Amino acid sequence: MVKPKVLATHRLFDPARRILEENCDAEYWEKPERPPREEVLRRLKDKEALICLLTEKVNDELLQAAPKLKITANVAVGFDNIDVAACTKRGVIATNTPGVLDETTADFAWTLLMAVARRLGEGDALARSGNWKGWDLDQLVGTDVWGKTLGIVGFGRIGKAMARRASGFRMKVIYTDAVRAAAEAEQELRAEYRDMHALLAESDFISIHTPLLPETRGLFDAAKFERMKRTAFLVNTSRGPVVEEAALVTALESEKIAGAALDVFEKEPAIHPGLNRRNVVLAPHIASASLETRTKMACMAAENVIAAFEGRRPANILNPEVLKG
């Protein structure tokens, strides 16, 4: 029996490789640097499945270069790198990996929030510099988190996980979303709905958890920063283009907001040089980067591929209409 051919644009974790290799003829990009585009297109010519990361654009160019492709499995919950409509047009299944990274991402959003509030980056740099002179009363004084107001933009699974964590800090939780949560969820999480303008005006910390959609691209622009408190902090672990970095830099330079903590960037891996500031915490897109979670994500992508080859509906299909008929 001839096994279906799969290309993974990353070496993946061993449990995911075992899932693939039991059922497929799997080929991996083993080098630490990202594969060149032309190399991906060349290797896809005879492949029936692609397991990819957010760094690979699955568009008409790629689909045309892969005439045998049946499924593209994204190892991420976001899928703004995939032209789902183009996949559907060509009968290619598209999948992602939702759910398994919610708690880990919420953990890291809280890590960023705490770090920027308490000036951890500055403190770490001082402690390592050899220039620390010892304890002082007003040295690197930051901002309390306990008892403050947390504004959550995007109240899906990760946004709700943020709200659950906020209860331990006795925070007031407010949120905004295109669809208001059920009353039961609001009551359980002690979260109050606000429109965007009210949320911006009330929040001491704003944490973004919205997907990248046409209507959310550039959502946080100069006008939004104008409405925030001067003492407020912005945290983004969603998608970089949700925030206009130039507008954010201007807001920071003019002290319209107190600081920011970012795990994602508008033009990754490039980062606006104006964000290299003492009151900004920067991380290299690692919110879901625990070994347990990233392994689960890779395994989920592999299982989506196997399901497609076995004629089953992948659990995380983005375009189920390709299976009709």
Side-chain angles (χ1 to χ4, degrees):
M1 178 180 175
V2 178
K3 292 183 177 181
K5 293 185 176 182
V6 179
L7 173 65
T9 61
H10 193 278
R11 49 188 175 269
L12 302 182
F13 298 100
D14 286 344
R17 292 175 75 120
R18 287 194 291 270
I19 292 170
L20 287 175
E21 289 161 12
E22 287 176 5
N23 302 275
C24 306
D25 179 4
E27 178 182 327
Y28 308 91
W29 178 258
E30 299 280 4
K31 297 179 182 180
E33 66 272 13
R34 303 303 316 132
R37 178 69 168 181
E38 58 273 16
E39 183 67 14
V40 173
L41 299 182
R42 185 186 69 80
R43 294 191 183 203
L44 274 174
K45 287 181 180 179
D46 64 342
K47 301 300 187 297
E48 296 164 78
L50 169 66
I51 296 180
C52 63
L53 309 184
L54 286 167
T55 46
E56 275 72 61
K57 295 294 183 184
V58 180
N59 52 17
D60 275 322
E61 178 193 38
L62 183 144
L63 295 168
Q64 188 172 354
K68 297 183 178 181
L69 198 67
K70 294 180 179 178
I71 180 171
T72 179
N74 218 35
V75 188
V77 63
F79 51 91
D80 43 280
N81 59 313
I82 297 178
D83 186 335
V84 177
C87 288
T88 302
K89 183 179 178 180
R90 294 177 180 270
V92 175
I93 296 168
T95 66
N96 65 339
T97 60
V100 295
L101 49 71
D102 299 344
E103 301 297 336
T104 303
T105 300
D107 279 353
F108 195 74
W110 269 98
T111 300
L112 291 178
L113 188 155
M114 296 290 289
V116 71
R118 298 301 302 273
R119 302 176 66 175
L120 180 59
E122 296 172 79
D124 180 78
L126 177 60
R128 294 174 187 274
S129 70
N131 298 320
W132 183 43
K133 306 303 181 185
W135 188 91
D136 201 353
L137 181 64
D138 60 355
Q139 180 174 264
L140 290 178
V141 292
T143 300
D144 278 336
V145 173
W146 189 92
K148 296 294 181 66
T149 297
L150 172 63
I152 300 173
V153 178
F155 208 56
R157 292 184 302 267
I158 300 173
K160 290 183 174 69
M162 285 294 291
R164 283 194 295 274
R165 285 156 175 75
S167 64
F169 290 89
R170 301 284 181 90
M171 298 182 85
K172 178 179 180 179
V173 176
I174 60 178
Y175 77 94
T176 193
D177 196 289
V179 179
R180 184 167 178 172
E184 294 80 5
E186 290 184 347
Q187 184 176 6
E188 176 192 351
L189 298 170
R190 298 180 181 177
E192 301 175 13
Y193 176 81
R194 296 287 190 277
D195 64 26
M196 178 65 85
H197 288 174
L199 182 139
L200 294 171
E202 292 181 41
S203 299
D204 298 303
F205 299 91
I206 294 175
S207 191
I208 306 174
H209 301 284
T210 181
L212 179 60
L213 303 168
E215 56 268 31
T216 62
R217 185 177 291 272
L219 177 65
F220 275 79
D221 55 11
K224 298 294 194 307
F225 295 123
E226 285 283 351
R227 291 180 176 275
M228 289 173 61
K229 293 181 179 181
R230 287 186 174 269
T231 54
F233 296 86
L234 182 75
V235 179
N236 188 16
T237 54
S238 63
R239 284 290 178 265
V242 172
V243 176
E244 290 185 3
E245 286 183 9
L248 173 58
V249 169
T250 298
L252 291 163
E253 289 176 343
S254 58
E255 299 184 352
K256 293 186 182 299
I257 65 172
L262 310 170
D263 183 53
V264 288
F265 304 93
E266 190 172 8
K267 298 178 181 178
E268 290 184 18
I271 300 174
H272 194 298
L275 293 172
N276 187 15
R277 305 172 55 83
R278 64 165 185 78
N279 58 341
V280 177
V281 174
L282 304 175
H285 204 147
I286 56 172
S288 65
S290 72
L291 178 60
E292 298 93 336
T293 293
R294 289 282 175 88
T295 299
K296 289 176 184 176
M297 290 166 65
C299 288
M300 182 178 285
E303 288 163 355
N304 285 333
V305 167
I306 301 307
F309 286 144
E310 292 181 348
R312 295 182 286 111
R313 176 188 172 117
N316 308 295
I317 189 169
L318 298 169
N319 53 348
E321 57 270 30
V322 300
L323 300 181
K324 294 179 180 179

